[in-house]
Amino acid sequence: MASVSLTLLSPLFSNSSKSSLKLGISNANQTSIQENLNLICIDSKRGVSVSQRRETLIKGLALLPLVVFGGAPISGAREVEVGSYLPPSPTDPSFVVFKASPKDTPALRSGNVQPYQFLIPPTWKQSRVANILSGNYCQPKCAEPWVEVKFEDEKQGKIQVVASPLIRLTNKPNASIEEIGNPEKVIASLGPFVTGNSYDPDELLETSVEKRGQQTYYKYVLETPFALTGSHNLAKATAKGSTVVLFVASANDKQWSTSQKTLKAMLDSFEV
C-alpha cells in the first residue's frame, strides 16, 4: 500500500486553514493514476492539444474519489424521502422524527457524541457525508470538527449537525456551554462551521439561550450573504461530555422566503 499526502482547504480542518492528511492508495490504483499522468507528459512532448491533455487528466483524476476516499461515503444516508422510514412526530404530524443512533455515524458508534434528535419534514432526503468529513479516520480522539449528518430539500434548504471536540474551545473537561463562554464567544469559534467559509460578527442578527432540563443551548440567527451554506443561517449549539454539538439550518434567499418557519421549527426541536 502506497501513501499520498493531500492538502485540504476547509473550515472543517485546522485553525491554520491547511492540513495534510496521508491516505493509503493500492498499488494497482496508484499505477493506473500514474499511467494517466505519464500520458499527459508524453502528449505534451508530442504537441497534443491542451483539450486532449485535459481529457486525459480528467480520466486519471476521476479515479481519486474512489481511491483516496475509499469508495462510498461513510454515512448510512438513504437517498429517499425520510417520511418513508422515519416515524411521524407525536406532537406535529407535518414532521417526522430523526433520532441519531450508533448505526448512523462513527462518532456515535465510538461514544464520542451523545445521541441527538430533531424534527424534519417527511419530504427531505438525507445527504451522504464523505468519509473524510465524517471523522471516521480519527474517532474517538478527533482534534478537529466533523460532520455528523446532513439532510436537504431543494425547495426548502438544508441542515447539518457538526460536532467539535470540547478541547478546541476550552481546557476544562466536560464543560457546559455556559462554562465555555457567552453566546458571542461560542459563535466566534464555531461561526466558520455555520457558514462553510468565514464568520463576521456583523452577520449575527440575534442570540438567545434555551434551557431544557440540565442542558443549555445557545441559538443564533445569522444573515450571511457570502456564506457557502446559504445567505440565511440558523444555528443551535450545546456541550455534552467531551463534545460541542452544533445544529445548522441554511437557506438561500428564495428558499428562505417560504421555508423560514419550517427551518426554525427544526432548529427548535433539536436536542441532545
Side-chain angles (χ1 to χ4, degrees):
M1 180 77 82
S3 180
V4 296
S5 180
L6 297 180
T7 299
L8 302 170
L9 300 178
S10 166
L12 285 173
F13 294 93
S14 178
N15 294 331
S16 63
S17 79
K18 284 187 178 181
S19 64
S20 293
L21 176 64
K22 290 202 169 183
L23 300 164
I25 294 181
S26 67
N27 291 332
N29 285 322
Q30 184 186 33
T31 300
S32 180
I33 294 173
Q34 187 60 52
E35 286 174 352
N36 279 285
L37 294 176
N38 288 342
L39 283 173
I40 297 169
C41 297
I42 293 170
D43 288 345
S44 178
K45 292 177 181 178
R46 291 177 179 172
V48 176
S49 70
V50 171
S51 62
Q52 288 174 300
R53 293 201 304 275
R54 183 183 296 117
E55 182 179 355
T56 304
L57 176 61
I58 290 172
K59 288 179 180 178
L61 294 182
L63 295 168
L64 285 175
L66 291 177
V67 175
V68 175
F69 299 126
I74 199 67
S75 75
R78 310 182 199 182
E79 295 179 346
V80 296
E81 293 184 353
V82 296
S84 66
Y85 60 91
L86 292 180
S89 166
T91 58
D92 189 337
S94 62
F95 291 95
V96 295
V97 183
F98 175 79
K99 293 184 177 181
S101 67
K103 67 180 178 60
D104 291 307
T105 76
L108 283 163
R109 285 193 288 275
S110 70
N112 206 19
V113 169
Q114 299 300 309
Y116 48 85
Q117 67 178 55
F118 51 86
L119 300 182
I120 186 169
T123 56
W124 283 48
K125 296 179 181 180
Q126 187 169 2
S127 305
R128 294 187 179 275
V129 178
N131 191 10
I132 199 167
L133 299 179
S134 72
N136 183 53
Y137 63 91
C138 62
Q139 296 296 340
K141 295 190 178 294
C142 294
E144 299 295 337
W146 64 90
V147 177
E148 279 281 292
V149 293
K150 296 167 63 178
F151 294 83
E152 64 182 317
D153 181 286
E154 62 180 14
K155 294 181 179 179
Q156 294 187 302
K158 53 193 172 186
I159 65 98
Q160 63 178 333
V161 176
V162 177
S164 172
L166 187 65
I167 190 68
R168 210 174 168 275
L169 284 80
T170 179
N171 290 322
K172 183 175 181 179
N174 300 309
S176 66
I177 196 85
E178 300 104 316
E179 291 172 321
I180 295 174
N182 60 32
E184 289 75 16
K185 179 182 178 181
V186 171
I187 196 62
S189 296
L190 299 178
F193 309 108
V194 174
T195 64
N197 45 14
S198 61
Y199 169 72
D200 184 338
D202 291 338
E203 296 172 335
L204 183 61
L205 300 182
E206 181 183 325
T207 66
S208 59
V209 179
E210 176 187 346
K211 286 283 255 184
R212 289 193 179 186
Q214 300 299 311
Q215 201 69 25
T216 300
Y217 299 83
Y218 289 168
K219 296 168 66 174
Y220 305 92
V221 179
L222 303 98
E223 189 170 291
T224 52
F226 305 110
L228 295 179
T229 51
S231 50
H232 299 272
N233 275 286
L234 305 173
K236 186 175 182 178
T238 192
K240 194 167 188 178
S242 61
T243 309
V244 175
V245 184
L246 178 70
F247 182 94
V248 182
S250 309
N252 57 36
D253 289 333
K254 183 178 180 181
Q255 294 167 334
W256 183 253
S257 63
T258 58
S259 67
Q260 57 178 296
K261 184 178 179 180
T262 297
L263 295 175
K264 287 179 178 178
M266 295 168 71
L267 183 89
D268 290 341
S269 71
F270 177 76
E271 62 179 328
V272 180

